[in-house]
Amino acid sequence: MGGWGLDYVVLTSVDRDDLEDQGSGHFRKVVQAIKRENPDMLVEALTPDFQGNNNMIDAVATSGLDVYAHNIETVERLTSRVRDRRANYRQTLAVLERAKETERRLITKTSIMLGLGEEDDEILQTMKDLRNSGVDVVTFGQYLKPSPRHLPVKKYVTPEKFDAWGETALGMGFLYAPSGPLVRSSYKAGEFFLKALVKERAKEIGGE
């Protein structure tokens, strides 16, 4: 990877409910292999919820990972319509909270898609729930209908409104909050600010 000029990589996967460990062991092995090759490489994993299994969450959180990402996607009221029927708003919060409790140096990260019919007060409550679960980074992006079979776009959020949500998030204590129509969960994941944030967190925890 060093030969490719990389210093930050993002691992992701489809849900692997067909596997006994739901893919958590593979996430762990890949992170460990990357770190063996290049201990300075920063690694983010965008994970499924592992059905809330703490052992699986812990396996990924303690792998040497730098950023633990799991997306809440939408507000609580819309979760059953927007996400897979097996997904659960409270379970997502619990996954992110567990990862941070297990490995305090981790940066925890999530993403919210706007334009699905959510109200402003619901977005604010989601942000409060995320902060109460110790989440460090939140991204905001515009929902776009990927196929005729998917949910319709209820609203196209203005760039100004996206800017406002990003500012609100920072004011609530999130350390980083990229927000814009084309922002996605791994948007510019390795940009300078996030890399510096990861390194600073590791230094703070290591100095305790």
Side-chain angles (χ1 to χ4, degrees):
M1 288 186 177
W4 295 347
L6 299 177
D7 58 5
Y8 192 111
V9 295
V10 180
L11 309 176
T12 187
S13 77
V14 296
D15 284 355
R16 291 305 307 266
D17 298 340
D18 56 314
L19 300 177
E20 186 174 351
D21 71 351
Q22 297 175 50
S24 59
H26 192 66
F27 269 108
R28 181 178 178 86
K29 289 175 183 176
V30 173
V31 174
Q32 291 176 331
I34 292 171
K35 291 291 187 174
R36 277 197 303 271
E37 289 294 318
N38 183 354
D40 294 327
M41 183 74 73
L42 299 179
V43 185
E44 173 180 327
L46 177 58
T47 74
D49 65 7
F50 302 123
Q51 297 181 0
N53 185 297
N54 285 340
N55 290 334
M56 297 176 192
I57 298 165
D58 293 352
V60 179
T62 60
S63 63
L65 188 67
D66 299 292
V67 178
Y68 194 112
H70 174 54
N71 290 339
I72 200 157
E73 304 290 5
T74 190
V75 300
E76 187 168 17
R77 176 177 59 86
L78 298 177
T79 295
S80 62
R81 290 174 52 205
V82 171
R83 301 176 67 186
D84 184 283
R85 59 181 176 77
R86 294 163 294 182
N88 181 287
Y89 179 89
R90 294 292 160 182
Q91 184 162 283
T92 289
L93 293 173
V95 168
L96 291 161
E97 187 168 350
R98 174 71 182 196
K100 177 61 67 68
E101 289 175 348
T102 300
E103 184 56 74
R104 290 189 302 121
R105 69 171 187 80
L106 279 175
I107 298 294
T108 48
K109 177 181 175 184
T110 197
S111 179
I112 302 173
M113 298 302 292
L114 303 181
L116 285 157
E118 66 285 336
E119 301 291 341
D120 284 1
D121 62 333
E122 293 177 311
I123 300 170
L124 282 170
Q125 185 59 55
T126 301
M127 293 161 68
K128 290 175 184 176
D129 291 340
L130 291 167
R131 284 301 299 134
N132 288 338
S133 294
V135 175
D136 300 297
V137 174
V138 61
T139 72
F140 299 90
Q142 171 68 52
Y143 168 71
L144 298 173
K145 184 178 180 180
S147 81
R149 295 182 294 111
H150 285 79
L151 292 171
V153 176
K154 294 285 188 179
K155 182 179 183 180
Y156 288 100
V157 180
T158 66
E160 293 76 16
K161 188 69 170 179
F162 273 112
D163 289 344
W165 282 124
E167 292 172 7
T168 299
L170 294 176
M172 292 175 67
F174 288 97
L175 301 178
Y176 185 49
S179 181
L182 299 181
V183 171
R184 294 297 179 262
S185 58
S186 297
Y187 177 80
K188 294 186 178 179
E191 70 179 17
F192 176 79
F193 185 84
L194 189 53
K195 288 189 286 190
L197 183 60
V198 171
K199 292 176 180 178
E200 185 62 29
R201 172 61 58 82
K203 190 183 301 182
E204 288 174 2
I205 299 298
E208 289 183 358

